[in-house]
Amino acid sequence: MVWAAAFFWILISAPVVFFALTGVDQSIRAGYSIISQIISPVLAASLCYWAASAFLDSSIMRKVWRLLGSGVLLWGVGAILYSVYPLFNDGQETPYPWYSDYGYLLMYIPCLLAFIYFKQHLNRRIPNWGILMAVAVFCMAFVLAIYFYIEKLVQSDSVATYIVTLLYMFGDPILLGSVVLIASTLTRTAEVRAWWLVSVGFLLFYIANVMYTYLVLVGSYMSGNVVDIGWVLGFGLIGVAALITKTAQKNDLVKKSYV
């Protein structure tokens, strides 16, 4: 089942790249990319909730996977709202900020809480090199965020625009720094193997965000761009990690029943 899920995400991701490289009509590229950006997080969130159901109610990991699922689902809701606006407004571009941005931004809260609970579950000390690397990565990402958002921040014509832009400036750097902190505590044990996929998934998510912001800044982004694959595959890796966790937990319960 895990391999089937991995193949599925490769299957829905491939056309994003193929259409972009072969010059398929823009409306087809945009439509397919938007649909895949909705399917991927919604399905990944469902698998996260399913993985959570494999743990006891008192288990920290149950909370971890529920929070991850909630965060990913909130991003999916944002993607749905982003795609709905043009349908009901004669094809006009979704304004900024809009309700879709609140979905995107709210994602950070449950995901960061999931990292905190997972660290509590591991009960391992974060190594000094992990802290230093996380700080360095945060600073690098924050400098990029300032470069991308400072003009929009200065030109904000409303409190909502200012606050949303400010949250975007901090959101990705904090998320990326947190991913590095968690990754520094991971080992090669079966218990945390899936979390390497989660970490890579959020890394792809971050790269997609950065490339999207840059392309918007230079005025060359259109839905269906090859960078969209970062969101689709990023959530795909989180979904596959949830399946691996569900399967491992199920097998562990079977083994215990024979002991």
Side-chain angles (χ1 to χ4, degrees):
M1 194 171 183
V2 172
W3 286 108
F7 179 75
F8 170 79
W9 258 288
I10 293 173
L11 196 63
I12 66 170
S13 301
V16 176
V17 178
F18 178 76
F19 291 162
L21 296 179
T22 55
V24 172
D25 183 81
Q26 173 58 29
S27 61
I28 296 176
R29 289 167 54 186
Y32 182 84
S33 180
I34 289 172
I35 291 172
S36 63
Q37 288 177 55
I38 292 173
I39 292 174
S40 185
V42 170
L43 181 56
S46 300
L47 292 174
C48 287
Y49 289 132
W50 194 40
S53 69
F55 296 91
L56 297 174
D57 290 340
S58 58
S59 172
I60 292 179
M61 290 305 294
R62 188 180 182 91
K63 294 180 182 178
V64 168
W65 283 105
R66 278 183 171 177
L67 286 166
L68 270 184
S70 298
V72 172
L73 184 60
L74 282 168
W75 197 94
V77 170
I80 292 171
L81 293 173
Y82 182 87
S83 64
V84 164
Y85 184 89
L87 295 177
F88 293 95
N89 293 274
D90 300 321
Q92 295 181 33
E93 185 177 348
T94 305
Y96 174 86
W98 202 56
Y99 296 110
S100 54
D101 292 294
Y102 302 133
Y104 293 145
L105 287 169
L106 284 172
M107 167 198 176
Y108 295 112
I109 298 174
C111 286
L112 290 173
L113 285 174
F115 293 158
I116 292 172
Y117 278 118
F118 183 63
K119 169 60 176 64
Q120 182 181 340
H121 169 73
L122 289 178
N123 195 27
R124 293 196 189 108
R125 178 180 173 274
I126 298 175
N128 291 333
W129 66 266
I131 296 174
L132 291 174
M133 184 172 290
V135 171
V137 168
F138 170 82
C139 292
M140 177 195 69
F142 189 57
V143 168
L144 276 177
I146 293 174
Y147 173 75
F148 289 144
Y149 287 109
I150 191 63
E151 185 176 350
K152 184 174 288 187
L153 193 66
V154 172
Q155 295 177 353
S156 297
D157 55 1
S158 68
V159 175
T161 302
Y162 186 87
I163 292 176
V164 168
T165 303
L166 198 62
L167 289 173
Y168 274 125
M169 282 181 61
F170 281 94
D172 279 343
I174 292 174
L175 181 69
L176 191 62
S178 300
V179 168
V180 172
L181 278 178
I182 291 296
S184 70
T185 64
L186 298 181
T187 62
R188 294 184 179 181
T189 61
E191 179 189 17
V192 298
R193 192 173 299 152
W195 275 81
W196 284 108
L197 292 180
V198 173
S199 299
V200 176
F202 278 114
L203 178 60
L204 288 177
F205 171 83
Y206 169 76
I207 292 173
N209 278 358
V210 169
M211 293 304 299
Y212 164 79
T213 307
Y214 170 75
L215 291 174
V216 169
L217 184 68
V218 299
S220 61
Y221 177 81
M222 292 185 293
S223 293
N225 192 292
V226 69
V227 302
D228 295 353
I229 196 174
W231 292 310
V232 181
L233 277 182
F235 292 123
L237 287 175
I238 294 172
V240 171
L243 262 181
I244 291 174
T245 299
K246 173 71 175 181
T247 303
Q249 187 66 11
K250 182 179 178 181
N251 292 339
D252 186 50
L253 290 175
V254 171
K255 288 179 181 178
K256 288 181 179 178
S257 67
Y258 284 101
V259 176

